[in-house]
């Protein structure tokens, strides 16, 4: 296990290493999402950094008629980002803690979404419920790339070869990104409760349930209102300047800590 960090500053971030890459949000209001006001203000209001308003992901980009849409898209992006990096409510995955401020630290909302390695498991193993931390890998340590990982741990280890370092693209591994300290940038996809529950209930974790694998081809998958997935990127903080500027958490990167070492306090063997 290593100490991994993601960089962001609020409210004027210039660089950060955790960002929402893929978000599927409907144009309709849904649970834990904020609908557009009526009428839409003619100018972008200042961001609200207080709970509960700041903890709610906007349901859509709210653009007044005949106005500069870019500013409102930027506003949407910031509001979504603030809600996703809010401190999470303990024992309630994907939910913000309304009693905390954004600067209070701890696990963040997006970190508690159901990870892809928990969702799509070997041999079509049915994933556990959204709020559960049980998984195939923690239940079968002899088969896991991180045999000492426990339920609730954060895994950035590749479940298959190079699986967590390849950039998105068509086909197999496209390319990798190397951080300035010479380590791989690692990626993790995760799903909010609405999206995961649809995957779970429709058994979309099984290859035969996907439309492209059906004969004749099935209908395209349309996620429900409020479904959201996020891809985060992480760097190993070995020899990184100004580590205090980064959000930090411990994560398993591979099987052996003696090879991967630790950045930060070393756990006893």
């Amino acid at each position: 296990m290593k100490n991994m960090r993601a960089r962001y500053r609020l409210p004027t971030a210039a660089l950060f290493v955790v960002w929402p890459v893929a978000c599927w949000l409907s144009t309709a209001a849904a649970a834990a999402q904020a609908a557009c006001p009526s009428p839409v203000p003619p100018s972008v209001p200042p961001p609200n950094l207080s709970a509960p308003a700041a903890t709610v992901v906007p349901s859509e980009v709210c653009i007044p008629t005949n106005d500069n849409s870019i500013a409102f898209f930027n506003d949407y992006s910031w509001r979504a980002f603030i809600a996703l990096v809010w401190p999470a409510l303990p024992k309630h995955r994907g939910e913000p803690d309304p009693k905390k401020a954004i600067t209070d630290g701890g696990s963040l909302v997006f970190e508690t979404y159901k990870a892809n390695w928990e969702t799509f498991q070997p041999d079509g193993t049915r994933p556990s419920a959204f709020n559960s931390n049980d998984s195939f890998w923690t239940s079968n340590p002899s088969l896991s790339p991180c045999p000492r990982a426990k339920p609730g741990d954060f895994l950035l280890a590749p479940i298959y070869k190079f699986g967590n370092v390849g950039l998105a693209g068509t086909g197999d591994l496209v390319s990798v990104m190397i951080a300035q300290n010479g380590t791989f940038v690692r990626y993790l996809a995760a799903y909010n409760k609405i999206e995961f529950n649809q995957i779970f209930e429709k058994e979309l974790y099984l290859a035969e349930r996907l439309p492209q694998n059906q004969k004749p081809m099935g209908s395209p998958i349309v996620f429900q209102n409020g479904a959201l997935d996020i891809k985060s990127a992480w760097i190993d903080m070995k020899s990184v300047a100004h580590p205090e500027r980064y959000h930090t958490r411990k994560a398993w990167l591979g099987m052996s800590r003696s090879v991967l070492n630790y950045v930060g306090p070393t756990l006893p063997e």
Side-chain angles (χ1 to χ4, degrees):
M1 186 184 286
K2 279 197 172 183
N3 215 26
M4 302 297 290
R5 302 195 182 206
R7 181 176 185 175
Y8 63 86
R9 295 177 181 175
L10 294 173
T12 55
L15 294 173
F16 52 92
V17 188
V18 170
W19 65 90
V21 174
C23 295
W24 302 95
L25 297 174
S26 78
T27 56
Q33 290 187 279
C36 287
S38 181
V40 176
S43 60
V44 176
N48 187 337
L49 295 179
S50 300
T55 67
V56 180
V57 176
S59 64
E60 58 182 318
V61 180
C62 305
I63 304 175
T65 305
N66 301 323
D67 210 313
N68 178 11
S69 62
I70 296 300
F72 290 89
F73 272 98
N74 291 342
D75 175 68
Y76 167 87
S77 299
W78 271 114
R79 292 177 187 277
F81 179 75
I82 290 168
L84 290 170
V85 300
W86 200 270
L89 185 65
K91 300 182 181 180
H92 293 270
R93 297 184 68 163
E95 296 185 26
D97 189 337
K99 296 181 180 179
K100 287 189 175 181
I102 194 170
T103 54
D104 284 346
S107 294
L108 308 181
V109 168
F110 81 90
E111 294 176 301
T112 66
Y113 282 179
K114 200 77 166 183
N116 54 357
W117 59 267
E118 298 176 279
T119 306
F120 303 101
Q121 304 182 106
D123 301 320
T125 300
R126 186 174 178 84
S128 62
F130 181 80
N131 205 48
S132 172
N133 290 318
D134 293 334
S135 73
F136 173 91
W137 301 108
T138 53
S139 299
N140 297 274
S142 64
L143 302 176
S144 173
C146 305
R148 295 174 60 189
K150 305 298 182 184
D153 285 354
F154 202 71
L155 268 65
L156 291 173
I159 299 303
Y160 57 93
K161 191 174 183 179
F162 302 125
N164 69 327
V165 297
L167 294 173
T170 302
D172 295 327
L173 180 69
V174 177
S175 62
V176 298
M177 182 180 293
I178 305 298
Q180 290 181 342
N181 64 353
T183 63
F184 284 117
V185 176
R186 298 169 183 269
Y187 304 97
L188 182 68
Y191 315 99
N192 76 343
K193 186 174 183 178
I194 294 174
E195 183 161 333
F196 172 80
N197 281 349
Q198 185 173 349
I199 295 171
F200 183 83
E201 292 165 4
K202 295 184 177 295
E203 298 184 329
L204 298 178
Y205 53 87
L206 299 175
E208 61 266 26
R209 298 292 189 186
L210 302 180
Q212 66 267 31
N213 296 329
Q214 298 173 358
K215 294 182 179 181
M217 182 177 290
S219 301
I221 298 171
V222 178
F223 284 103
Q224 300 167 359
N225 294 347
L228 188 153
D229 57 72
I230 183 169
K231 182 180 180 182
S232 57
W234 300 81
I235 60 173
D236 184 346
M237 289 300 293
K238 182 190 302 180
S239 303
V240 172
H242 303 294
E244 71 278 359
R245 297 178 180 177
Y246 291 73
H247 168 65
T248 307
R249 73 163 301 143
K250 291 182 173 65
W252 288 100
L253 303 186
M255 184 177 296
S256 173
R257 284 194 303 243
S258 62
V259 174
L260 294 174
N261 296 319
Y262 238 84
V263 177
T266 302
L267 291 181
E269 293 295 331

